[in-house]
């Protein structure tokens, strides 16, 4: 009898499985990948949708050693210079409203000499000003402050945006700016803002030191009915040059101030975004975090440059031509080193709410107006 045919195995052998897998692979009609950044990869066999699998997300590129996230990449938008100017104007309003009373106290303390000594400190200055002149006296020079702060913020933040973009274009490699480079760009932007704000600063300081009652050392010197009257009298008695009195001290103050101010603000923003996690951006920070970063930046900046600000206030409230060095030497000889920190507590008290308001207004305007 013929032998029966060999029995076929009930389960495919490893060779059969390998052959079937190769055949299936050769019949696959297409594998379609979605654009980079999406996680789903779909594929079909003979035109039939087979299924989807998950692919790992692309790993974000790491910044260069020593660099920090570029502020423009920390947000979903990159503001134009026009958008920066509009947002800076809104931030300037918040800055003046929050900080003007402190600024008036600061300037009054800075400009009193040892012989006059009308105020023993910021609290005494506040109480006496409100008692003898009324609470609105704390907002003396507000129109000048609006002109000064609005001009400063619009010029500073707009110039800072342009300078950072220009500096980024000069780099040979595509990388984020380091915090040092961000601070450097802020210092350069301070040159433009210093020249722009000096006339308004002169008017503001002269209005702030004008005291309407002899009890506060008033009764002598020049008195002004308002900013226009102050402007006219300054030009009439000193010429156009009188509006730029103290420009050198403003430059010496604003370059290091803006280096520290804008650099520390970006450092605070970077730290807060890192604390929030890997995918956090500046836009994901809460208003409280923006207020905190702006307030800390302003406090650090004023702590560094306050002695120069004392010299600036003295220069701008006098009608005699003088130099920054002569004024500084005279203060040191007659009043001692402590005179360079007169009004510092009021300045630091002002710095936090004023600059918190500045960046809060700036960042919120960016989010709401230019989504």
């Amino acid at each position: 009898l013929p032998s029966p045919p060999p029995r076929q195995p009930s389960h495919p052998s490893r060779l059969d499985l390998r052959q079937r897998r190769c055949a299936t692979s050769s019949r696959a009609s297409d594998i379609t990948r979605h654009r980079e950044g999406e996680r789903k990869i779909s594929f079909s066999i003979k035109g039939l949708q087979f299924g989807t699998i998950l692919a790992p997300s692309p790993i974000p590129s790491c910044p260069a050693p020593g660099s920090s996230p570029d502020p423009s990449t920390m947000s979903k938008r990159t503001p134009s210079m026009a958008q920066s100017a509009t947002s800076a104007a809104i931030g300037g309003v918040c800055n003046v409203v929050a900080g003007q009373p402190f600024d008036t106290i600061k300037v009054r303390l800075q400009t009193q000499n040892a012989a006059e000594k009308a105020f023993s400190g910021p609290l005494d200055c506040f109480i006496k000003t409100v008692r003898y002149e009324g609470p609105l006296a704390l907002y003396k020079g507000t129109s000048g402050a609006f002109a000064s702060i609005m001009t400063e913020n619009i010029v500073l933040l707009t110039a800072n945006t342009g300078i950072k973009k220009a500096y980024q274009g000069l780099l040979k490699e595509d990388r984020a700016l380091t915090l040092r480079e961000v601070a450097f760009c802020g210092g350069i932007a301070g040159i433009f803002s210093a020249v722009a704000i000096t006339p308004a600063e002169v008017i503001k300081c002269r209005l702030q030191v004008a005291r309407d009652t002899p009890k506060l050392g008033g009764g002598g010197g020049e008195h002004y009915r308002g900013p226009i009257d102050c402007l006219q009298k300054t030009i009439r008695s000193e010429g156009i040059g009188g509006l730029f009195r103290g420009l050198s001290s403003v430059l010496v103050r604003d370059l290091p101030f803006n280096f520290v101010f804008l650099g520390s603000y970006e450092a605070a923003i970077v730290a807060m975004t890192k604390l929030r996690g890997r995918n956090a951006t500046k836009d994901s920070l809460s208003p409280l975090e923006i207020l905190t970063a702006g307030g800390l930046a302003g406090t650090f900046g004023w702590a560094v440059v306050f002695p120069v600000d004392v010299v600036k206030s003295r220069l701008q409230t006098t009608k005699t031509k003088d130099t920054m060095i002569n004024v500084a030497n005279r203060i040191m000889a007659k009043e001692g080193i402590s005179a360079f920190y007169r009004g510092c507590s009021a300045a630091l008290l002002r710095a936090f709410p004023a600059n918190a308001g500045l960046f809060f207004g700036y960042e919120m305007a960016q989010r709401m107006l230019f989504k």
Side-chain angles (χ1 to χ4, degrees):
L1 293 175
S3 60
R7 186 177 180 181
Q8 296 294 332
S10 58
H11 299 286
S13 64
R14 292 185 179 180
L15 179 61
D16 291 337
L17 288 174
R18 191 178 299 114
Q19 290 173 344
R20 292 180 188 179
R21 193 176 295 119
C22 293
T24 302
S25 176
S26 64
R27 290 194 302 268
S29 59
D30 65 289
I31 297 178
T32 307
R33 292 182 180 270
H34 290 274
R35 63 182 180 274
E36 182 179 359
E38 295 188 357
R39 292 175 56 83
K40 286 187 177 181
I41 299 177
S42 62
F43 60 95
S44 58
I45 299 178
K46 287 189 175 182
L48 299 176
Q49 184 69 29
F50 188 79
T52 60
I53 60 174
L54 291 179
S57 299
I59 300 176
S61 58
C62 297
S67 68
S68 64
D70 185 2
S72 64
T73 63
M74 290 171 59
S75 174
K76 294 181 180 179
R77 48 172 167 67
T78 301
S80 66
M81 295 180 69
Q83 291 172 346
S84 291
T86 304
S87 302
I90 296 173
V93 173
C94 299
N95 182 301
V96 174
V97 171
Q100 182 63 14
F102 297 98
D103 192 64
T104 298
I105 294 171
K106 171 185 76 75
V107 173
R108 289 192 170 193
L109 289 171
Q110 285 178 329
T111 53
Q112 67 174 357
N113 53 45
E116 179 185 11
K117 205 65 177 178
F119 312 108
S120 60
L123 182 60
D124 181 57
C125 181
F126 173 81
I127 293 173
K128 287 181 177 178
T129 299
V130 173
R131 178 183 298 168
Y132 297 123
E133 298 181 75
L136 291 180
L138 295 172
Y139 283 90
K140 275 189 173 182
T142 298
S143 54
F146 265 117
S148 174
I149 297 296
M150 297 282 279
T151 302
E152 179 182 19
N153 290 329
I154 291 173
V155 173
L156 174 66
L157 297 177
T158 304
N160 186 51
T161 298
I163 291 170
K164 286 193 294 187
K165 288 182 178 179
Y167 188 90
Q168 189 82 49
L170 293 175
L171 296 177
K172 296 181 179 179
E173 51 185 325
D174 185 16
R175 62 168 177 83
L177 297 181
T178 65
L179 285 177
R180 184 179 300 176
E181 290 169 333
V182 170
F184 172 76
C185 292
I188 298 300
I191 298 175
F192 298 92
S193 66
V195 175
I197 69 170
T198 298
E201 277 281 301
V202 171
I203 301 302
K204 175 182 74 72
C205 287
R206 292 187 177 188
L207 287 170
Q208 286 176 321
V209 299
R211 301 168 195 164
D212 299 331
T213 172
K215 294 181 179 180
L216 295 182
E222 194 73 67
H223 290 273
Y224 309 103
R225 295 189 301 271
I228 301 299
D229 183 52
C230 181
L231 175 66
Q232 292 173 342
K233 288 181 177 179
T234 299
I235 295 176
R236 188 180 303 126
S237 60
E238 303 171 61
I240 295 296
L243 296 176
F244 289 90
R245 189 175 298 280
L247 175 60
S248 58
S249 61
V250 178
L251 286 168
V252 172
R253 180 196 70 175
D254 281 8
L255 265 68
F257 173 79
N258 287 305
F259 181 92
V260 176
F261 178 52
L262 295 175
S264 58
Y265 175 71
E266 295 298 343
I269 291 296
V270 170
M272 289 178 180
T273 53
K274 286 183 177 178
L275 288 175
R276 275 185 166 262
R278 180 171 170 180
N279 297 322
T281 66
K282 184 188 290 187
D283 282 348
S284 66
L285 297 180
S286 68
L288 179 61
E289 289 170 313
I290 296 294
L291 287 167
T292 302
L296 290 175
T299 303
F300 293 152
W302 276 103
V304 170
V305 303
F306 190 80
V308 182
D309 190 63
V310 173
V311 177
K312 176 202 77 80
S313 294
R314 295 285 182 98
L315 272 172
Q316 291 182 328
T317 53
T318 182
K319 292 186 176 182
T320 59
K321 292 185 177 181
D322 215 334
T323 65
M324 182 181 171
I325 300 298
N326 288 341
V327 171
N329 288 336
R330 191 158 53 247
I331 293 173
M332 187 69 179
K334 293 183 178 181
E335 304 174 56
I337 194 170
S338 62
F340 289 102
Y341 292 91
R342 191 173 292 152
C344 185
S345 56
L348 296 182
L349 285 173
R350 169 193 176 274
F352 195 97
N355 292 288
L358 166 64
F359 280 108
F360 174 79
Y362 179 82
E363 297 293 352
M364 294 304 108
Q366 288 283 312
R367 294 183 190 182
M368 292 186 291
L369 300 179
F370 309 112
K371 290 182 180 180

